[in-house]
Amino acid sequence: MKSFNVEELDERQIYKLMSGSIIPRPIAWVTTQNRSGLVNVAPFSFFNVVSSQPPLVSIAFTAKKDTFNNIMATKEAVIHLISSKM
């Protein structure tokens, strides 16, 4: 898995990375944990770039399921961008 530290990138690099990674109608996997540490992985097709400075993406919820509840409880989530093969 490739990762980037946004503190080491300039605004243009962050923008190119984010806009190039999130193409029309992308699918992402969002991982969260509940307060007991149980990990949840869910596919999301409703997410997009909001800003490159600061680097922000958004995900949209259609129901208050595990991912939503876990984020509200722990204030943490990881959005995984996946390849077209996956």
Side-chain angles (χ1 to χ4, degrees), residues 33-39:
Q33 283 186 325
N34 65 17
R35 290 185 187 253
S36 300
L38 182 65
V39 175

Side-chain angles (χ1 to χ4, degrees), residues 9 28 36 40 46 56 59 62 74-76:
L9 303 174
S36 300
N40 179 67
F46 295 119
L56 296 173
I59 57 175
T62 57
T74 66
K75 307 298 185 219
E76 294 183 356

Side-chain angles (χ1 to χ4, degrees), residues 27-69:
I27 302 295
W29 291 331
V30 178
T31 55
T32 59
Q33 283 186 325
N34 65 17
R35 290 185 187 253
S36 300
L38 182 65
V39 175
N40 179 67
V41 179
F44 272 78
S45 60
F46 295 119
F47 84 104
N48 213 331
V49 171
V50 175
S51 169
S52 62
Q53 194 63 299
L56 296 173
V57 295
S58 67
I59 57 175
F61 297 94
T62 57
K64 292 183 179 179
K65 295 185 177 180
D66 292 334
T67 302
F68 176 86
N69 293 330

